[in-house]
C-alpha cells in the first residue's frame, strides 16, 4: 500500500491477491475481481486516506469493541436464534456424559474454519443437522483437547514442582495436630508461618502460570488456526518446525493475537462469575438455561475472536 500526496488530495495504490493494482482518491470505490479469496468480487470504498495509526491501545480497543458487538450477532436473526436453541439442547444432553467438553470445543473450531473462508453465503456458525455433524464436532474436540493437553503438560509439571511445598505443608499440619497435646503449643504462630509459606508459593505459581499461559496458549491457537485452514496435519501440532512457525507468526502479530487471548480470558472469567451468581440467585431457572447462557456469552465470543484473528492471518497470506 502506497500513498502519494497530489496537491490537496491523496491517491492510494492498492495491491490485492492476484496483483490487481488501482489508484483511487478519497470518496472513490475500488472493485476487486478475479481474486482467489473473493471469487464473487469485492467493493472497497475509501472514506479517508491518511497515515496508519500504530497505537497499540487504539488497535486493542478497536478489536475489543468489534468483539463485544459480535456477542449479540446470534440474537439478531431468527435463523441464528433457532440454531442456538438446538445447539444448547444437544449441549445439555451431552453434559452428564462429559462429552459436552469435546463437543463444544469442536463447535468452536468449526466457527474458526468458516470465518477463515469468509464466504458471505455461508453462516459463521456450523450446522448440526445429523449424527455425522455431531460426530465431527466431538472428534475435532477430542483432537484439540489432546493437543492442548500436551502443550500444557510442561507447564503443569512445573506448577506441581513449585507447589510441592503445599504437600509438605499438609503433612506438617497433620503431624502438628497429632503430636501436640491440646492446650499446649503455639497454634497461632504455627498457623501464621504456614499461611506465609502457602501464600508465597501460591504467588510464585500464579506468576509462572500467567507468564507461561501468555507464551504457550496464543502459539497453540495459531497452530489451531493453521490446522483449521489445512496448512498442517494433526501431527503438525507436535512438529518443532511448525511450532517455531507458530511462534514466528505470534511474534509478528503479537498485538492481534494477545487481544484475542485477553478477550478469551475476560469472556471466560466474566461468564463464569456471572453464571455462578445467577445460579445462586435463580437456581432452578438458570440450571436449565446454563448451556444456552454458556453458548451465547462464553463459547461463541471466544470462537469469534480466534476466527477474526484467523481471517486476518489468511488475508495477509500468513496461513
Amino acid at each position: 500500500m502506497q500513498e502519494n500526496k497530489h496537491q490537496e488530495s491523496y491517491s492510494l495504490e492498492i495491491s490485492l491477491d492476484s496483483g490487481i493494482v488501482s489508484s483511487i482518491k478519497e470518496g472513490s470505490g475500488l472493485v476487486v475481481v478475479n481474486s482467489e479469496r473473493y471469487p464473487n468480487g469485492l467493493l472497497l470504498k475509501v472514506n479517508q486516506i491518511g497515515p496508519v495509526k500504530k497505537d497499540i491501545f487504539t488497535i486493542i480497543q478497536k478489536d475489543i469493541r468489534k468483539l463485544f458487538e459480535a456477542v449479540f450477532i446470534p440474537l439478531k436473526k431468527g435463523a441464528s436464534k433457532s440454531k442456538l436453541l438446538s445447539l444448547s439442547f444437544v449441549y445439555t444432553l451431552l453434559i452428564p456424559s462429559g462429552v459436552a467438553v469435546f463437543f463444544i470445543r469442536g463447535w468452536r473450531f468449526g466457527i474458526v474454519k468458516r470465518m477463515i473462508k469468509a464466504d458471505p453465503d455461508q453462516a459463521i456458525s456450523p450446522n448440526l443437522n445429523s449424527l455425522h455433524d455431531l460426530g465431527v464436532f466431538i472428534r475435532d474436540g477430542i483432537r484439540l483437547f489432546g493437543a492442548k493437553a500436551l502443550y500444557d503438560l510442561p507447564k503443569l509439571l512445573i506448577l506441581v514442582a513449585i507447589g510441592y511445598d503445599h504437600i509438605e505443608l499438609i503433612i506438617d499440619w497433620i503431624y502438628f495436630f497429632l503430636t501436640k497435646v491440646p492446650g499446649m503449643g503455639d497454634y497461632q504462630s504455627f498457623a501464621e508461618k504456614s499461611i506465609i509459606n502457602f501464600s508465597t508459593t501460591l504467588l510464585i505459581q500464579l506468576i509462572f502460570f500467567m507468564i507461561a499461559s501468555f507464551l504457550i496458549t496464543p502459539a497453540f491457537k495459531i497452530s489451531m488456526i493453521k490446522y483449521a485452514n489445512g496448512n498442517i496435519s494433526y501431527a503438525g501440532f507436535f512438529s518443532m518446525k511448525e511450532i517455531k512457525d507458530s511462534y514466528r507468526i505470534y511474534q509478528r502479530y503479537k498485538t492481534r493475537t494477545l487481544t484475542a487471548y485477553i478477550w478469551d480470558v475476560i469472556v471466560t472469567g466474566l461468564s463464569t462469575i456471572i453464571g455462578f451468581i445467577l445460579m445462586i440467585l435463580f437456581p432452578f431457572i438458570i440450571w436449565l438455561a446454563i448451556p444456552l447462557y454458556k453458548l451465547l456469552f462464553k463459547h461463541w465470543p471466544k470462537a469469534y475472536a480466534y476466527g477474526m484473528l484467523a481471517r486476518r492471518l489468511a488475508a495477509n497470506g500468513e496461513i
Side-chain angles (χ1 to χ4, degrees):
M1 185 176 292
Q2 181 181 0
E3 295 174 356
N4 300 308
K5 188 171 181 180
H6 178 66
Q7 295 180 353
E8 295 182 356
S9 63
Y10 291 87
S11 64
L12 177 67
E13 189 177 82
I14 300 178
S15 177
L16 292 172
D17 288 356
S18 56
I20 304 165
V21 179
S22 177
S23 182
I24 59 177
K25 297 181 179 181
E26 290 185 2
S28 302
L30 172 68
V31 178
V32 181
V33 295
N34 300 325
S35 168
E36 294 181 1
R37 181 161 296 279
Y38 304 102
N40 297 326
L42 180 67
L43 174 62
L44 302 176
K45 184 177 180 180
V46 180
N47 293 323
Q48 183 178 0
I49 300 174
V52 178
K53 295 181 179 180
K54 296 184 178 181
D55 180 15
I56 293 178
F57 294 103
T58 302
I59 294 174
I60 294 175
Q61 183 183 14
K62 186 177 180 180
D63 279 357
I64 292 293
R65 186 172 64 252
K66 289 181 180 178
L67 291 171
F68 180 77
E69 293 172 353
V71 172
F72 304 98
I73 289 178
L75 298 177
K76 294 179 179 179
K77 297 181 179 180
S80 298
K81 293 177 184 177
S82 61
K83 182 184 292 188
L84 198 63
L85 288 173
S86 61
L87 281 168
S88 63
F89 177 72
V90 175
Y91 189 24
T92 303
L93 294 179
L94 294 176
I95 286 176
S97 66
V99 179
V101 175
F102 307 118
F103 164 75
I104 204 63
R105 190 179 288 265
W107 178 72
R108 295 199 309 251
F109 180 67
I111 291 176
V112 175
K113 291 173 68 175
R114 288 185 169 220
M115 288 188 68
I116 293 175
K117 295 179 181 178
D119 186 353
D121 299 323
Q122 186 181 55
I124 295 176
S125 175
N127 297 318
L128 180 58
N129 298 327
S130 64
L131 290 176
H132 173 74
D133 295 334
L134 178 63
V136 169
F137 290 156
I138 296 174
R139 179 202 65 193
D140 290 341
I142 292 174
R143 288 178 176 176
L144 293 173
F145 185 88
K148 184 64 165 59
L150 286 178
Y151 270 68
D152 285 340
L153 184 60
K155 178 175 67 176
L156 294 176
L157 291 177
I158 294 175
L159 284 173
V160 170
I162 296 174
Y164 177 78
D165 289 345
H166 296 170
I167 301 176
E168 186 178 357
L169 183 64
I170 294 172
I171 295 174
D172 287 345
W173 269 96
I174 294 174
Y175 178 79
F176 183 85
F177 281 108
L178 290 178
T179 57
K180 290 293 182 179
V181 178
M184 298 179 63
D186 190 354
Y187 287 95
Q188 182 178 356
S189 176
F190 182 79
E192 290 176 351
K193 181 180 178 181
S194 300
I195 291 174
I196 292 174
N197 292 337
F198 178 79
S199 301
T200 302
T201 305
L202 194 63
L203 179 61
I204 295 173
Q205 283 182 308
L206 180 61
I207 294 173
F208 171 78
F209 177 80
M210 291 179 62
I211 295 174
S213 295
F214 274 84
L215 289 174
I216 296 173
T217 304
F220 169 78
K221 293 298 183 181
I222 290 177
S223 294
M224 180 268 293
I225 290 171
K226 294 194 297 183
Y227 179 54
N229 197 43
N231 297 87
I232 63 173
S233 64
Y234 186 68
F237 277 106
F238 318 109
S239 166
M240 187 56 63
K241 177 183 177 181
E242 294 298 339
I243 292 174
K244 288 181 179 179
D245 182 65
S246 295
Y247 273 101
R248 176 191 64 80
I249 297 175
Y250 179 19
Q251 186 177 13
R252 290 191 63 182
Y253 296 86
K254 54 181 175 293
T255 301
R256 304 289 191 178
T257 306
L258 285 175
T259 299
Y261 180 60
I262 291 171
W263 173 257
D264 183 346
V265 173
I266 292 173
V267 167
T268 302
L270 285 180
S271 62
T272 302
I273 294 172
I274 295 174
F276 180 74
I277 295 173
L278 291 175
M279 287 191 68
I280 294 176
L281 297 177
F282 312 101
F284 299 105
I285 300 176
I286 200 63
W287 182 258
L288 296 175
I290 199 71
L292 178 61
Y293 166 80
K294 283 186 175 181
L295 274 171
L296 184 59
F297 295 107
K298 180 181 178 181
H299 300 298
W300 161 257
K302 290 172 62 170
Y304 192 90
Y306 291 115
M308 195 168 73
L309 173 64
R311 184 177 289 179
R312 184 170 284 124
L313 294 179
N316 290 344
E318 294 291 347
I319 60 174

